[in-house]
Amino acid sequence: MALIVPIPGVWSASRVVRLSSCPCRVWGLFNIHGGGLVWVPNAIYTQTQTQTQTQTQNSLGLSNSISTKTKSSKRREAAAEAESDAISILNERIRREQRKKSSPRTAMESEEADKYIELVKEQQQRGLQKLKGDVSYKVDPYTLRSGDYVVHKKVGIGRFVGIKFDIPNSGSMDPIEYVFIEYADGMAKLPVKQASRLLYRYNLPNENKRPHTLSKLNDTSVWERRKTKGKIAIQKMVVDLMELYLHRLKQRRPPYPLTPAMTHFVSQFPYEPTPDQKQAFIDVDKDLTGRETPMDRLICGDVGFGKTEVALRAIFCVVSAGKQAMVLAPTIVLAKQHFDVISERFSIYPNIKVGLLSRFQTKAEKDEHLDMIKNGHLDIIVGTHSLLGSRVVYNNLGLLVVDEEQRFGVKQKEKIASFKTSVDVLTLSATPIPRTLYLALTGFRDASLISTPPPERVPIRTHLLAYSKEKVLSAIKYELDRGGQVFYVLPRIKGLDEVMDFLEQSFPDVDIAIAHGKQYSKQLEETMEKFAQGEIKILICTNIVESGLDIQNANTIIIQDVQQFGLAQLYQLRGRVGRADKEAHAHLFYPEKSLLTDQALERLAALEECCELGQGFQLAERDMGIRGFGTIFGEQQTGDVGNVGIDLFFEMLFESLSKVDEHRVVSVPYWSVEIDMNINPHLPSEYINNLENPMEIIHEAEKAAEKDIWSLMQYTENLRRQYGKEPHSMEILLKKLYVRRMAADIGITKIYTSGKMVFMKTVMNKQVFNLITDSVISDAHRNSLVFEGDQIKAELLLELPREQLLNWIFQCLAELHASLPALIKY
């Protein structure tokens, strides 16, 4: 046992305190001596000798019980002083990371994580195998045009000049074909065969394909940094997806029961399901009744191929078990249609209540619906993004059905993602956004593809034409003469009235109406209702009708200024017609081709090619290469994609996915970390006199450090708020705690020094070390670190004094610790 020895001084006896940031379990005495709080080193015991004391000192927590004794003016001065110090900078980084975190994740045991990581890796391997035959991001040099921007994997971004024969440098007189690429500081040539292995197209996540600058042939360091930045962004994205997936696998809910009522519900479906539809029914049924983890399934099927029926069966399964189901649609028009379909299908079940929450309702109606949802009196709730608001409190939510997730904004998508950690989720999409598509293929999400059309469906005839009034009138007259209805779509509200005047003059006896999202609620609802009932023959509208609207008698759609729509949008709009057994027509009008950009022309050609039924999936692939990836991962990734171009970015993504198990860092217990440095702080008496209980302060700091880095950061900030910026000696003590905490987080078990060398024993492997050091911003730290065996070594330029050495280790570990968001922490 440690001895408590009375020592002359202000106190009759010093109290025992342990500094476990020292190399072994260090016990000693603090005593006021010579005007300062002095560490008495003659009371040192090894860890084994002090096991009993360790147990008694090991109850951890974060205390906020420090009383304030300093004046507010001193605190303000200290706060200004603290802004630029190393601890404050680290604290701010920790706070930023904490803000970025979504829902809290349940901790997972190491063995359990191993099992799940292996499961995810197997799924991804299957997905990647599927992709290998279909997708190649390298470019065929013969498809390039002069002036196209390209990316050479090792050199960077250049401008393609052309392909021509030239004499090789090897001395052979036989000319061979070379690709010539212009860079910022010269022209490069490489053989065509080599080019096909190393070149990628440079596309950006927007209409502009022009890079900020071309790379330099003679200095590839800037390009290497850009590539590394993209790689780190990908790692962070993959890890975030991985942790979300592991968290979902950790969740449990009882499987839903198989009931005879489901057989009765299924029998109400009036059509013979297609083979793909049957498989989707089986997949969803297994997810709900055969598994304990929440479902997250994508149903990808073309317009009118029966996705809604899959959702209806899932809803019935969940609701008949006493839980609520939410159906989320991007527009009120589509939400109303879903409400009508669900209400009709569930009308034979009087105990199942269906409600629609929309902006068409009065405040009293909304409040009544919100109260019914909260008390469990509504079983199926249909609506737009308002269902995700804080006012909507669900009684017992079991299923979320999301129609066309890509139409929602970033905040709504984040809210949808938070639901995915706790309830079953079914996503319906005709042209899935590329992210959803790829996650489905690479194992992070389950997918069911409905690609066979119903027997009575016929392809939509697509006409791509230069605009003329005569062609427009001819197309409308053809549809009206056969008793049908017409959609007339424009990209903006401005221009709708002008088209209305033109058509009213041309068809004076035909009912025509306008529909757009900024109309009064009742007016829009009435217009859509009349069009659905066949009273209105021509509907002039914006892309508010893009998703899901099912009007059987509307079999001609006219889209004006087609170049202003995205490819997926055009495909969805075209899907508004051809819902019956009549041949449908889509007339896509553009102004003079000379006014169109290359991308607009490329989009139109792709749409003309994909005119067969069931090609939404292929179109989404095509859309990725043309439209770009600005919305795939959220706005924050746009710059990272721009650094290297879309094609190389995605190849790096697949490479990262295939090595997902290497992205894992194994932390070690805080108490197991040894720091072998002979540095012992002496606190000045002025600071000690401000502290109510100096040793308790230090104990609490250690407890916070043992808990986690966030707790240590909060403790440090609380300490500074109440006592002002700490003196230099206290800063050293805090830095030792931070060093030990960060070392534990990244799997370092011991830090010791010898001359100019710093050694860190670690449990990490070489791959993880490479991933971590890739993201280190400081060249000085990154270049000084070497991985050998089970150690990370650093050789400094000169032998530093102890305090400076501690500061170097603190800064180095802070850099390494910053890479943790790009690693799986289980």
Side-chain angles (χ1 to χ4, degrees):
M1 289 182 62
L3 301 175
I4 301 176
V5 184
I7 300 176
V10 178
W11 298 329
S12 60
S14 299
R15 277 173 262 185
V16 174
V17 67
R18 171 174 59 89
L19 284 189
S20 57
S21 50
C22 290
C24 53
R25 290 291 189 167
V26 179
W27 291 75
L29 308 173
F30 273 111
N31 182 48
I32 293 183
H33 177 70
L37 186 64
V38 182
W39 175 249
V40 184
N42 61 348
I44 296 177
Y45 295 83
T46 65
Q47 184 173 344
T48 52
Q49 287 172 308
T50 58
Q51 193 170 5
T52 310
Q53 294 93 323
T54 302
Q55 289 166 355
T56 60
Q57 298 286 340
N58 224 12
S59 55
L60 306 179
L62 185 62
S63 169
N64 293 317
S65 62
I66 306 169
S67 63
T68 265
K69 289 193 177 183
T70 53
K71 293 180 181 176
S72 58
S73 59
K74 279 189 176 181
R75 285 203 301 269
R76 281 196 297 272
E77 286 169 21
E81 229 180 274
E83 278 177 9
S84 60
D85 78 303
I87 291 177
S88 293
I89 292 166
L90 177 57
N91 285 352
E92 181 52 36
R93 196 208 83 216
I94 294 162
R95 191 173 290 286
R96 281 198 307 271
E97 284 172 10
Q98 195 73 13
R99 280 194 216 110
K100 288 178 192 171
K101 287 185 179 176
S102 51
S103 55
R105 307 277 161 82
T106 313
M108 192 178 286
E109 293 298 324
S110 181
E111 295 77 14
E112 193 176 16
D114 283 335
K115 181 180 72 177
Y116 287 139
I117 287 172
E118 195 54 42
L119 175 66
V120 173
K121 193 181 178 192
E122 284 173 15
Q123 285 181 288
Q124 283 168 8
Q125 290 303 325
R126 286 197 293 272
L128 290 166
Q129 286 301 321
K130 287 181 191 176
L131 284 170
K132 277 178 183 171
D134 304 328
V135 181
S136 174
Y137 288 100
K138 294 181 180 69
V139 66
D140 178 354
Y142 293 107
T143 64
L144 293 169
R145 290 179 295 184
S146 183
D148 284 353
Y149 290 100
V150 292
V151 180
H152 187 289
K153 200 169 185 177
K154 294 180 181 176
V155 180
I157 301 165
R159 188 185 290 108
F160 175 74
V161 176
I163 298 175
K164 67 175 184 176
F165 283 94
D166 199 5
I167 303 295
N169 298 333
S170 60
S172 167
M173 297 308 292
D174 295 329
I176 61 170
E177 277 190 301
Y178 283 97
V179 173
F180 284 81
I181 301 168
E182 179 191 352
Y183 287 94
D185 56 349
M187 186 78 69
K189 68 174 187 179
L190 66 160
V192 168
K193 282 186 180 178
Q194 190 183 347
S196 62
R197 293 197 307 272
L198 294 170
L199 282 188
Y200 303 79
R201 233 179 243 284
Y202 182 80
N203 291 322
L204 282 179
N206 51 45
E207 293 291 322
N208 177 25
K209 288 186 177 183
R210 182 183 291 275
H212 294 304
T213 57
L214 298 182
S215 300
K216 291 184 178 180
L217 272 173
N218 297 313
D219 179 13
T220 57
S221 59
V222 175
W223 168 246
E224 285 300 325
R225 281 198 295 274
R226 290 175 74 170
K227 203 162 64 167
T228 297
K229 193 176 176 187
K231 185 178 175 184
I232 297 306
I234 288 167
Q235 284 171 214
K236 287 181 178 176
M237 183 191 71
V238 169
V239 166
D240 190 48
L241 293 168
M242 185 71 169
E243 290 199 327
L244 180 67
Y245 192 91
L246 288 172
H247 182 65
R248 283 186 61 75
L249 291 172
K250 178 79 175 171
Q251 305 306 306
R252 290 288 181 272
R253 54 123 175 90
Y256 288 95
L258 291 162
T259 62
M262 177 57 90
T263 308
H264 179 260
F265 183 82
V266 167
S267 68
Q268 303 300 307
F269 187 51
Y271 307 103
E272 176 62 30
T274 62
D276 284 354
Q277 219 180 353
K278 286 178 182 175
Q279 187 57 52
F281 295 151
I282 292 167
D283 291 342
V284 173
D285 185 58
K286 280 182 182 174
D287 288 345
L288 293 173
T289 63
R291 285 175 23 179
E292 292 185 341
T293 52
M295 170 176 69
D296 181 15
R297 182 168 290 277
L298 167 69
I299 305 293
C300 181
D302 221 325
V303 287
F305 278 31
K307 299 186 299 293
T308 305
E309 178 61 22
V310 179
L312 289 172
R313 295 186 186 192
I315 290 167
F316 184 83
C317 179
V318 169
V319 169
S320 59
K323 291 198 172 187
Q324 292 172 306
M326 180 195 349
V327 180
L328 195 60
T331 64
I332 191 59
V333 172
L334 184 52
K336 178 71 166 61
Q337 184 171 301
H338 278 311
F339 173 72
D340 292 340
V341 170
I342 293 168
S343 297
E344 183 184 348
R345 190 68 191 281
F346 282 84
S347 59
I348 59 173
Y349 303 97
N351 295 330
I352 296 176
K353 305 294 181 189
V354 186
L356 174 67
L357 195 67
S358 80
R359 61 185 173 89
F360 291 169
Q361 294 168 324
T362 64
K363 185 178 183 301
E365 287 173 330
K366 276 185 185 172
D367 289 343
E368 184 188 357
H369 272 73
L370 290 170
D371 189 59
M372 291 174 74
I373 295 168
K374 186 176 180 179
N375 295 316
H377 298 148
L378 271 185
D379 302 290
I380 305 168
I381 306 101
V382 186
T384 59
H385 61 270
S386 59
L387 292 182
L388 302 171
S390 55
R391 290 187 67 202
V392 188
V393 180
Y394 296 92
N395 180 275
N396 188 15
L397 186 65
L399 175 68
L400 167 62
V401 176
V402 186
D403 197 1
E404 301 298 348
E405 185 182 352
Q406 75 273 17
R407 297 285 306 281
F408 291 95
V410 173
K411 286 185 179 176
Q412 283 87 38
K413 285 178 185 170
E414 285 174 0
K415 184 75 175 177
I416 291 166
S418 72
F419 275 106
K420 289 181 181 182
T421 61
S422 55
V423 302
D424 291 278
V425 179
L426 193 64
T427 305
L428 312 178
S429 187
T431 51
I433 54 172
R435 180 185 65 173
T436 310
L437 173 65
Y438 273 106
L439 295 191
L441 288 173
T442 53
F444 280 121
R445 292 183 70 180
D446 299 312
S448 299
L449 309 182
I450 305 178
S451 55
T452 48
E456 69 278 4
R457 291 291 300 274
V458 290
I460 301 161
R461 290 195 62 187
T462 303
H463 313 271
L464 192 59
L465 306 160
Y467 178 83
S468 78
K469 289 184 178 180
E470 294 74 22
K471 291 173 188 172
V472 169
L473 295 176
S474 172
I476 294 173
K477 187 174 184 306
Y478 172 80
E479 186 59 47
L480 295 178
D481 285 349
R482 64 175 185 169
Q485 295 165 269
V486 177
F487 288 102
Y488 195 122
V489 184
L490 284 90
R492 296 187 181 90
I493 293 173
K494 186 181 177 182
L496 294 179
D497 289 331
E498 189 182 324
V499 172
M500 179 83 164
D501 293 341
F502 162 57
L503 293 183
E504 280 183 331
Q505 288 172 19
S506 305
F507 302 99
D509 301 324
V510 175
D511 286 323
I512 306 171
I514 286 176
H516 60 79
K518 292 193 176 177
Q519 286 178 322
Y520 290 114
S521 305
K522 290 292 181 189
Q523 183 188 358
L524 179 60
E525 187 177 16
E526 284 170 14
T527 301
M528 299 310 297
E529 191 68 33
K530 284 180 180 177
F531 187 64
Q533 297 300 326
E535 294 174 34
I536 292 169
K537 298 299 181 184
I538 304 172
L539 185 70
I540 306 166
C541 55
T542 58
N543 66 333
I544 190 173
V545 297
E546 178 185 326
S547 293
L549 201 65
D550 187 359
I551 311 293
Q552 295 285 314
N553 196 40
N555 282 297
T556 289
I557 185 166
I558 291 165
I559 305 174
Q560 188 175 315
D561 288 329
V562 68
Q563 76 284 357
Q564 293 188 32
F565 292 91
L567 188 52
Q569 268 187 321
L570 290 173
Y571 190 80
Q572 291 278 48
L573 285 167
R574 189 175 66 175
R576 295 311 102 224
V577 297
R579 308 301 291 260
D581 54 1
K582 270 186 185 178
E583 183 177 58
H585 295 266
H587 299 268
L588 313 183
F589 289 107
Y590 55 85
E592 286 300 315
K593 277 198 175 179
S594 59
L595 302 175
L596 300 182
T597 64
D598 288 346
Q599 278 199 322
L601 290 169
E602 212 175 334
R603 264 202 297 271
L604 300 186
L607 195 74
E608 213 167 18
E609 287 169 27
C610 293
C611 59
E612 293 301 314
L613 287 170
Q615 287 192 314
F617 211 62
Q618 294 91 314
L619 196 78
E621 285 277 3
R622 184 73 183 268
D623 192 25
M624 270 188 287
I626 299 166
R627 174 171 55 88
F629 296 104
T631 57
I632 299 177
F633 308 116
E635 294 305 313
Q636 69 277 11
Q637 261 83 31
T638 305
D640 301 315
V641 175
N643 277 327
V644 296
I646 292 160
D647 292 355
L648 180 55
F649 185 87
F650 258 75
E651 182 165 287
M652 289 160 68
L653 170 63
F654 291 136
E655 189 181 325
S656 190
L657 283 169
S658 65
K659 297 176 180 174
V660 71
D661 57 333
E662 294 176 9
H663 291 210
R664 183 181 177 196
V665 65
V666 180
S667 58
V668 296
Y670 174 84
W671 53 261
S672 71
V673 179
E674 296 178 21
I675 300 176
D676 191 356
M677 289 184 67
N678 185 23
I679 180 167
N680 301 306
H682 292 62
L683 303 185
S685 56
E686 184 187 347
Y687 186 67
I688 292 163
N689 291 336
N690 271 337
L691 307 181
E692 187 175 303
N693 188 333
M695 290 175 297
E696 188 62 28
I697 297 287
I698 292 163
H699 275 307
E700 293 299 333
E702 175 113 23
K703 287 178 184 178
E706 188 156 359
K707 191 175 182 185
D708 54 43
I709 193 87
W710 173 253
S711 300
L712 180 57
M713 180 275 286
Q714 287 183 307
Y715 183 84
T716 307
E717 291 187 345
N718 284 341
L719 189 70
R720 289 177 170 187
R721 270 195 295 272
Q722 297 186 66
Y723 294 105
K725 172 71 171 69
E726 70 281 342
H728 182 63
S729 51
M730 184 64 180
E731 184 181 329
I732 290 169
L733 183 63
L734 289 172
K735 278 185 178 176
K736 288 179 76 173
L737 296 177
Y738 272 97
V739 163
R740 195 169 182 213
R741 177 66 264 168
M742 290 188 291
D745 286 346
I746 57 181
I748 290 171
T749 56
K750 184 176 181 178
I751 300 173
Y752 62 100
T753 61
S754 176
K756 293 190 291 182
M757 297 296 295
V758 177
F759 299 91
M760 305 182 205
K761 286 184 74 70
T762 179
V763 298
M764 74 174 70
N765 59 37
K766 183 71 180 285
Q767 288 92 342
V768 170
F769 172 77
N770 290 338
L771 289 172
I772 288 178
T773 50
D774 272 349
S775 63
V776 169
I777 297 167
S778 161
D779 289 339
H781 284 116
R782 182 177 59 252
N783 296 336
S784 67
L785 298 175
V786 178
F787 189 89
E788 283 185 11
D790 63 348
Q791 287 195 131
I792 299 169
K793 296 196 308 187
E795 184 173 6
L796 309 182
L797 294 174
L798 49 95
E799 192 172 342
L800 297 175
R802 290 289 149 185
E803 287 185 11
Q804 288 183 33
L805 187 59
L806 175 68
N807 197 52
W808 188 92
I809 293 170
F810 175 90
Q811 298 284 5
C812 182
L813 286 181
E815 290 263 5
L816 296 176
H817 196 269
S819 67
L820 281 182
L823 297 158
I824 302 166
K825 297 167 285 296
Y826 283 114

